[in-house]
Amino acid sequence: MTSEQHEPALWALIPAAGVGRRMGADRPKQFLRLGARSVLEYTLDIFLEHPAIRGVALVLGGGVDRDAVDLSGAGGRLFIVTGGEERADSVRNGLAFLAQRGRPDDWVLVHDAARPCLPPADLDHLIEVLRDDPVGGLLVAASTDTLKLEGVEGRVERTLDRSRVWRALTPQMFRLQALRAALDAALASGVAVTDEASAMEFVGERPLLVEGSPMNIKITRPEDLDVAEVYLNRQQRLRSGR
Ligand code: CTP
Ligand code: MG
C-alpha cells in the first residue's frame, strides 16, 4: 500500500440551512453582510483557503437560490447539499453526501456557517492535535463568568468548577463513518443533538477538548454582528502585523 492510502482525507461540512429566527433579519443570518462580504463567504474562505482540506460540503436550505452562492473561487472543491429540519438533520445530509466521495476513516470538520471569526490558527491547531486521535474532538472556550447550576425555585443549587466546564464551539472533528453512525443512533433514540460531540458522547465516546479562541463566536442576535466585525478587523490587523 502507498502512504497515500493510509492517510485519511480532511473534509469540511458547513451547516448553513438555518433560518436565523433569533436574528430576526430579512434573510438567514449567514447571508447578512459584514462589510463587503457575507458571513457565509468569510466562513467558507477559511476552509477553501486551507491546503489540507480536500473538499467542502455546504449545506443550504431548500428555499435558497443556489445561484446566489458564488462558487467561482472554490476550484471545484465546494459541493452544495440540501439541509434538513434541525441542524443535526442538515449535518446528516452533508455526511451522506461526503460518504459517497470519501472513505469511512476520513476526517470531517463540521463548522457552523454562523462562525466567520474562526481564527485559521485554531483550525490548524485542532487538525494537528487530532490527526492521529482515535475519536476526534472539538474546539472549546473557557467561561470567564462564574457558573451557577440552577436548583429548585430558580435558586442556586451550587457553583460549578469553572476550570472543568467548557463552552463547545466548532469546528468539531470526527471520523466520517463513526460520526454518521453516532448521529443516526442519537437521532433514532430521540436525544437532543445540538452538536456532533453530543452524538459521539451518546454512543460512549469521549471527544477531546481543544481550547480555542473566544473570538470564535456564533452570530446569533443582531448585536453579535457588530462584535463579529470587530473580531474580523482585529484578525486582519494581526495577520498584517499592525
Ligand atoms: N443550521 C442548519 N440547518 C438547520 C438549522 C441550523 O444547517 N435546520 C445551521 C445554521 O445555518 C447555523 C448553524 O447550523 O450555521 C448553527 O445554528 P444556529 O446558530 O441555531 O442558526 P439558526 O438555526 O439559523 O438560528 P436560530 O436558532 O436563531 O433560528
Ligand atoms: Mg438554530
Side-chain angles (χ1 to χ4, degrees):
M1 272 208 229
T2 65
S3 63
E4 198 184 330
Q5 283 171 300
H6 287 289
E7 189 67 23
L10 285 162
W11 302 91
L13 193 171
I14 315 286
V19 296
R21 190 182 39 79
R22 286 168 288 182
M23 180 63 70
D26 62 351
R27 69 197 91 163
K29 60 194 180 185
Q30 56 274 24
F31 301 111
L32 295 174
R33 302 217 148 257
L34 279 173
R37 314 168 68 211
S38 68
V39 169
L40 179 60
E41 284 169 329
Y42 281 105
T43 305
L44 278 179
D45 269 10
I46 300 167
F47 292 90
L48 290 171
E49 282 172 6
H50 198 289
I53 305 281
R54 175 82 50 94
V56 179
L58 171 63
V59 188
L60 293 175
V64 170
D65 176 11
R66 304 294 164 96
D67 298 335
V69 181
D70 181 11
L71 304 180
S72 57
R77 288 196 299 150
L78 181 60
F79 309 100
I80 295 188
V81 182
T82 299
E85 192 71 25
E86 302 290 336
R87 182 183 177 284
D89 303 308
S90 295
V91 171
R92 193 145 75 146
N93 290 359
L95 291 173
F97 173 85
L98 290 177
Q100 300 169 326
R101 308 208 150 227
R103 294 160 180 260
D105 278 349
D106 282 355
W107 289 109
V108 182
L109 290 139
V110 181
H111 182 68
D112 293 327
R115 293 185 192 267
C117 305
L118 163 66
D122 282 15
L123 175 58
D124 287 341
H125 181 58
L126 183 74
I127 293 171
E128 192 186 301
V129 170
L130 294 177
R131 205 137 202 175
D132 297 319
D133 195 89
V135 180
L138 66 153
L139 282 181
V140 294
S143 173
T144 51
D145 300 314
T146 298
L147 297 163
K148 304 294 183 189
L149 185 71
E150 182 182 330
V152 290
E153 292 169 354
R155 292 182 182 275
V156 173
E157 184 170 307
R158 62 190 165 90
T159 298
L160 297 175
D161 178 359
R162 197 172 68 190
S163 68
R164 293 189 56 216
V165 179
W166 297 90
R167 296 186 294 118
L169 312 175
T170 70
Q172 303 204 355
M173 176 169 156
F174 295 104
R175 307 268 181 185
L176 178 46
Q177 184 48 39
L179 178 57
R180 236 187 135 190
L183 265 180
D184 284 351
L187 290 173
S189 80
V191 301
V193 186
T194 52
D195 69 347
E196 290 57 58
S198 33
M200 298 299 290
E201 293 155 39
F202 177 78
V203 296
E205 299 289 2
R206 294 189 303 133
L208 190 69
L209 302 165
V210 181
E211 186 168 8
S213 165
M215 283 198 289
N216 182 9
I217 60 164
K218 188 172 74 168
I219 295 177
T220 305
R221 297 185 175 81
E223 59 271 26
D224 297 334
L225 284 168
D226 294 339
V227 178
E229 199 153 358
V230 169
Y231 286 162
L232 286 169
N233 285 335
R234 182 181 154 82
Q235 286 180 28
Q236 200 158 19
R237 272 204 317 278
L238 291 175
R239 264 201 303 279
S240 60
R242 277 179 287 141

